[in-house]
């Protein structure tokens, strides 16, 4: 059986993608300079929160995921980030390939809440590989990629933030049930409010729950993108 090993050598935000996307650079090595005709891979990526430390601000942001910091010894469990298929073309000995990972800024997703809480440093990732290898120097053999193939990687938090800013400059994102959206739309129409931001601000002002903002997010977004949000 061909001995395969994997490593992640870098990551970048894809600025030309239609949605938030990270591109991981993988290095695949076949022992003894073996010939590989193709690899059909499945790559599971998970976050391993216990492999880094957190400052007080980050710990506060992670409270809804892991509870009080005193309990983290038992609650700091791995978080699923992505599961992506990848076809690697034929090579001999070693090759590099791009693993394209579409992402979301949905704050209902545990991985997104975790990443949004981080301010600096690296995101501790573990990539788990499986799949099928098509090998053979003088013929054609089909072999499984062992389930124990893996690669650890520290993704810079700055790369995640760069990706988010490319698609949601100066903004956040929340998902709401249909009936709540309908009620908000009716409120916006009834009060002739120009944007969703103005709608939420009016509701907060009516409830007395919001302090006056120090900075106008609408003006900041316009200055960043050159476009006025609807």
């Amino acid at each position: 059986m061909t001995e395969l090993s994997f490593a992640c050598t870098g990551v970048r935000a894809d600025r030309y993608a239609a949605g938030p996307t990270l591109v991981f650079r993988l290095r695949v090595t076949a022992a003894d300079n073996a010939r590989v005709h193709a690899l059909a891979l499945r790559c599971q990526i998970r976050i391993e929160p216990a492999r880094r430390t957190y400052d007080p601000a980050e710990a506060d942001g992670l409270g809804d995921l892991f509870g009080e910091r005193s309990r983290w010894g038992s609650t700091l469990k791995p978080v699923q980030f992505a599961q992506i298929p990848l076809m690697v073309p034929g090579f001999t000995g070693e090759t590099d390939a791009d693993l394209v990972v579409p992402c979301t800024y949905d704050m209902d997703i545990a991985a997104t809440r975790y990443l949004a809480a981080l301010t600096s440093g690296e995101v501790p990732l573990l990539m788990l590989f499986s799949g099928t290898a098509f090998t053979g120097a003088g013929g054609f053999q089909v072999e499984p990629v062992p389930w124990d193939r893996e690669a650890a990687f520290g993704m810079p938090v700055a790369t995640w933030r760069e990706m988010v800013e490319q698609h949601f400059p100066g903004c956040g994102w929340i998902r709401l049930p249909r009936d709540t959206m309908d009620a908000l739309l009716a409120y916006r129409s009834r009060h002739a409010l120009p944007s969703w931001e103005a709608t939420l601000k009016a509701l907060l002002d009516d409830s007395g729950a919001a302090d006056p903002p120090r900075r106008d997010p609408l003006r900041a977004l316009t200055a960043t993108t050159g476009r006025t949000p609807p």
Side-chain angles (χ1 to χ4, degrees):
M1 179 178 289
T2 304
E3 183 73 17
L4 296 170
S5 60
F6 300 86
C8 183
T9 60
V11 63
R12 60 181 172 85
D14 187 350
R15 62 177 60 253
Y16 302 108
T21 303
L22 293 171
V23 181
F24 293 88
R25 192 66 171 169
L26 297 182
R27 179 158 296 161
V28 186
T29 303
D32 301 324
N33 208 37
R35 172 64 178 163
V36 177
H37 300 294
L39 281 176
L41 291 177
R42 293 183 297 274
C43 180
Q44 178 186 354
I45 307 176
R46 70 186 189 192
I47 300 168
E48 300 214 311
R51 283 175 38 208
R52 63 160 282 169
T53 58
Y54 303 91
D55 63 33
E58 291 173 332
D60 290 343
L62 293 171
D64 66 329
L65 280 178
F66 305 122
E68 295 293 330
R69 194 159 190 164
S70 59
R71 299 177 53 228
W72 282 13
S74 59
T75 62
L76 224 57
K77 302 298 184 182
V79 176
Q80 179 77 3
F81 181 59
Q83 188 156 329
I84 304 294
L86 174 66
M87 285 298 303
V88 179
F91 65 95
T92 299
E94 186 174 272
T95 191
D96 290 337
D98 285 339
L99 180 67
V100 179
V101 179
C103 301
T104 178
Y105 198 37
D106 185 346
M107 296 301 288
D108 284 342
I109 304 299
T112 305
R113 295 208 307 276
Y114 174 86
L115 291 162
L118 303 184
T119 58
S120 61
E122 295 183 339
V123 182
L125 300 179
L126 184 65
M127 298 180 171
L128 307 171
F129 299 95
S130 61
T132 304
F134 303 91
T135 64
F140 194 82
Q141 299 176 350
V142 179
E143 304 175 359
V145 176
W147 284 86
D148 63 353
R149 304 296 93 166
E150 61 184 41
F153 180 68
M155 179 179 71
V157 173
T159 302
W160 168 264
R161 292 189 173 275
E162 176 190 351
M163 180 199 70
V164 171
E165 284 299 310
Q166 287 173 4
H167 295 275
F168 305 101
C171 295
W173 191 95
I174 58 174
R175 180 175 59 184
L176 297 173
R178 177 72 64 184
D179 55 350
T180 303
M181 283 297 301
D182 290 343
L184 282 172
L185 180 59
Y187 182 90
R188 176 177 174 176
S189 299
R190 188 163 60 250
H191 294 272
L193 295 166
S195 67
W196 287 115
E197 180 187 3
T199 302
L200 293 175
K201 185 176 183 303
L203 286 167
L204 290 171
D205 288 344
D206 288 346
S207 70
D211 295 328
R214 296 182 179 180
R215 179 170 173 264
D216 185 351
L218 186 59
R219 184 178 301 169
L221 178 57
T222 303
T224 303
T225 64
R227 296 180 286 112
T228 302

